[in-house]
Amino acid sequence: MESKDIKTRVCIYCRVSTSKQDTDHQLRALRGYAKKMGYEVVKEFTEVISGAKKINDRIALVELMDFVKENKIEKILIFECSRLSRRPADFLYIIEEMNELGVSIHILQNGLDTLLPDGSINPIATLVCGVISQFNALERSLIRSRMEAGYNNYRAKGGKVGRKETYRKSDFEYLSDYSYELDLIKKDLTLKEICKLSGRSINTIRKLRDKFFAAS
């Protein structure tokens, strides 16, 4: 437990893959842990994006790393390893970057800190994180292989995967599917801000803006 006078400054990072999911469960768990430990939560970062995306494509993750570099943050709290990245190289890169800054990453599900209390690298965490990252990559590869096999089997039986070539989404469908994003565009937020709030890609937001607000 931390001293009441000096609290460890931490950031929380949460990620989900699709808009059908939410980060509430992760946030509750991480906020509860921070409260239990007496940490000061300086800022929370959340995003909706695949963990297989590269670091530069993940706006909230990039902002987290920049924020940590510019502020006196001692720990980053994540729910489990795959929330940080499903790409082994990126996962280990992030950990190494934070190690060099003296910022420990706490993985709640495994009860691990990448740095020991004295600031040195935790060898057990390094080993476990390396194994888990490889397992996550293998799991992703197996899922993709099963999906591809299913598609190939479907095609072999004469089926066609994907939308019809003549399909075009109607304006009504756009307005229905992207009502939240369109409301944010109306507020004159930047593309980056809208992406962070909605979890949509910058190309999607730009397309919506150009389609509905180009003349405004």
Side-chain angles (χ1 to χ4, degrees):
M1 193 69 67
E2 299 294 317
S3 166
K4 292 182 179 180
D5 297 322
I6 302 175
K7 291 188 175 183
T8 298
R9 290 164 55 84
V10 306
C11 284
I12 286 176
Y13 174 79
C14 300
R15 180 192 66 78
V16 291
S17 299
T18 70
S19 58
K20 294 181 180 179
Q21 303 169 304
D22 60 57
T23 57
D24 291 352
H25 171 65
Q26 295 177 48
L27 282 171
R28 282 196 299 271
L30 294 171
R31 286 169 180 167
Y33 174 76
K35 183 177 181 180
K36 174 184 175 183
M37 298 302 295
Y39 294 159
E40 176 189 355
V41 178
V42 179
K43 193 167 184 177
E44 297 175 350
F45 296 82
T46 64
E47 62 185 335
V48 181
I49 192 169
S50 169
K53 293 287 186 180
K54 294 181 179 180
I55 293 174
N56 289 338
D57 295 328
R58 296 173 56 186
I59 295 174
L61 180 59
V62 172
E63 289 182 349
L64 166 69
M65 295 177 71
D66 288 342
F67 184 85
V68 166
K69 292 175 183 177
E70 297 168 2
N71 297 271
K72 294 181 179 179
I73 302 301
E74 298 167 73
K75 281 192 179 187
I76 296 171
L77 309 183
I78 62 173
F79 187 72
E80 49 105 354
C81 291
S82 68
R83 300 306 90 198
L84 198 60
S85 180
R86 286 189 177 275
R87 295 169 58 88
D90 286 354
F91 179 80
L92 296 176
Y93 169 78
I94 295 167
I95 290 178
E96 288 178 6
E97 282 284 293
M98 295 302 104
N99 283 348
E100 290 182 8
L101 293 171
V103 178
S104 181
I105 298 176
H106 177 79
I107 306 156
L108 184 64
Q109 192 176 65
N110 303 102
L112 290 173
D113 283 280
T114 54
L115 296 181
L116 296 171
D118 64 1
S120 61
I121 293 174
N122 183 348
I124 295 177
T126 300
L127 174 62
V128 172
C129 287
V131 172
I132 291 176
S133 67
Q134 292 297 330
F135 177 81
N136 286 336
L138 174 61
E139 182 183 37
R140 174 171 167 256
S141 177
L142 290 174
I143 291 172
R144 292 178 65 182
S145 295
R146 287 196 295 268
M147 289 177 64
E148 185 175 354
Y151 287 145
N152 290 338
N153 182 53
Y154 180 65
R155 291 190 187 99
K157 294 179 180 179
K160 292 184 178 180
V161 178
R163 290 174 172 170
K164 295 180 180 179
E165 293 181 3
T166 57
Y167 176 82
R168 291 292 184 277
K169 183 176 286 191
S170 68
D171 286 354
F172 177 80
E173 288 177 297
Y174 271 109
L175 293 171
S176 175
D177 294 344
Y178 299 101
S179 59
Y180 177 61
E181 290 77 7
L182 291 169
D183 284 340
L184 293 176
I185 295 173
K186 289 178 185 178
K187 295 177 180 178
D188 291 328
L189 298 176
T190 66
L191 294 180
K192 188 175 181 181
E193 290 171 331
I194 296 172
C195 289
K196 180 180 178 182
L197 291 170
S198 67
R200 302 286 187 181
S201 71
I202 196 164
N203 288 333
T204 296
I205 301 302
R206 186 180 289 112
K207 182 178 179 180
L208 291 171
R209 182 197 62 186
D210 294 345
K211 180 176 179 63
F212 292 100
F213 299 93
S216 60

